[in-house]
Amino acid sequence: MQKIINNTQTIINASQSNAVSITDRGLNYGDGFFTTAKIVNGQVEYWHHHKARLVECAERLAFPELDFSPLEQHIHNQVKQKQTGVLKILVTRGEGGRGYNLPSECNLTIIVSVLEYPANYNALAEQGVSLEISPIKLAAQPLLAGLKTLNRLEQVLIKKAMQTQNCDDVLVLDYNNQVIEASAANIFAIKHGKVFTPKLNECGIKGVYLQALCDKLTVEFKHITVNDLTKADAVFVCNSLMHAVPVNRIEQQCFNVAHSNALLTNLLAKEA
């Protein structure tokens, strides 16, 4: 492995006609990572958690240290007039290196996109989400577990399989039939006043909203089966865009959305 001896970074505004090189390592090898945040009243929600995610991804994937000063200024300029929206920050290792080898000099590519907020999220928050079991299972790779890398082909296959399933989202399992996450969200549940969520030490993504929830509540990370979820008092899917949304059905097991919301509200009130 070659040592990275220099670091520069190029920030690209996705709304402009900037081109990404066909030799960019993010395009050729998925050599990069990203985060997706909610914009509210010209501010990026949970920015310190998104920033921490970017730092962790860079460190664990042996990227050079990110220079946040120009990046944060660029983000501020892009979101300050936006009342509601989505910010996506995508980082690649740029060009260079022979095959998979790392480049001796690294010029990061950072793509900043401002997108519209998904129109269906508010409705899902009110009515809850229905879940079925995805036929696509996640492979174990502890070196990448928890990270939001550009290698998302498993999720593409999961979404493709969802087209034939009668549900809003799916529960995704690993090859040991442990629950890991939803297609693009984390899962957590409440049972007897305690909050638990799947272990993510071998696969899956530890989302920003889940991390923010851990700041407010005691959350146990443990091995979880589908049966554990169906026996819970309440189940939620969560990510940084839609926050915590109650599950109204897992396969044939139904949950009362109002009761689920009340349980979570009461827990948060106790910890406030």
Side-chain angles (χ1 to χ4, degrees), residues 40-74:
V40 178
N41 297 326
Q43 301 291 323
V44 181
E45 268 195 339
Y46 304 118
W47 170 243
H48 65 291
H49 283 294
H50 286 285
K51 186 175 180 179
R53 161 186 272 173
L54 294 172
V55 169
E56 180 184 7
C57 286
E59 290 177 347
R60 287 176 56 185
L61 296 175
F63 271 54
E65 184 177 349
L66 296 173
D67 184 355
F68 278 99
S69 181
L71 177 58
E72 289 178 320
Q73 184 59 54
H74 181 84

Side-chain angles (χ1 to χ4, degrees), residues 112-210:
V112 177
S113 308
V114 176
L115 311 166
E116 293 302 313
Y117 186 76
N120 65 323
Y121 276 7
N122 291 330
L124 288 177
E126 292 181 6
Q127 68 192 29
V129 298
S130 58
L131 301 178
E132 293 188 1
I133 311 301
S134 175
I136 309 299
K137 296 184 179 183
L138 298 179
Q141 175 46 275
L143 293 176
L144 300 176
L147 302 183
K148 199 164 187 177
T149 73
L150 298 185
N151 294 281
R152 303 260 64 86
L153 284 178
E154 288 175 316
Q155 282 67 37
V156 172
L157 294 175
I158 288 164
K159 286 293 191 183
K160 180 180 182 297
M162 272 183 60
Q163 294 175 0
T164 62
Q165 296 180 277
N166 182 27
C167 56
D168 299 310
D169 205 339
V170 288
L171 282 177
V172 185
L173 315 180
D174 65 11
Y175 278 90
N176 293 314
N177 289 322
Q178 302 291 332
V179 174
I180 301 298
E181 57 195 7
S183 67
N186 287 117
I187 296 279
F188 70 90
I190 302 172
K191 179 73 172 178
H192 300 319
K194 297 185 182 299
V195 182
F196 60 93
T197 192
K199 273 191 173 183
L200 302 172
N201 56 329
E202 293 199 349
C203 58
I205 298 172
K206 187 175 182 182
V208 159
Y209 185 83
L210 179 61

Side-chain angles (χ1 to χ4, degrees), residues 183-255:
S183 67
N186 287 117
I187 296 279
F188 70 90
I190 302 172
K191 179 73 172 178
H192 300 319
K194 297 185 182 299
V195 182
F196 60 93
T197 192
K199 273 191 173 183
L200 302 172
N201 56 329
E202 293 199 349
C203 58
I205 298 172
K206 187 175 182 182
V208 159
Y209 185 83
L210 179 61
Q211 295 187 65
L213 188 69
C214 291
D215 293 340
K216 302 173 184 178
L217 297 174
T218 300
V219 179
E220 181 183 3
F221 287 78
K222 65 178 186 177
H223 292 300
I224 296 172
T225 65
V226 174
N227 190 49
D228 292 329
L229 289 184
T230 59
K231 290 183 177 180
D233 299 322
V235 181
F236 294 83
V237 297
C238 66
N239 64 30
S240 60
L241 299 185
M242 62 183 175
H243 296 178
V245 175
V247 171
N248 60 40
R249 175 178 64 85
I250 299 176
E251 300 277 279
Q252 304 306 313
Q253 177 64 43
C254 294
F255 297 86

Side-chain angles (χ1 to χ4, degrees), residues 3-9 31 33 54-55 57-68 91-94 102-110:
K3 182 179 180 182
I4 296 172
I5 60 175
N6 185 41
N7 169 36
T8 57
Q9 61 187 37
D31 191 2
F33 50 90
L54 294 172
V55 169
C57 286
E59 290 177 347
R60 287 176 56 185
L61 296 175
F63 271 54
E65 184 177 349
L66 296 173
D67 184 355
F68 278 99
V91 183
T92 85
R93 208 184 299 265
L102 299 185
S104 58
E105 296 187 1
C106 191
N107 180 22
L108 302 182
T109 299
I110 303 176

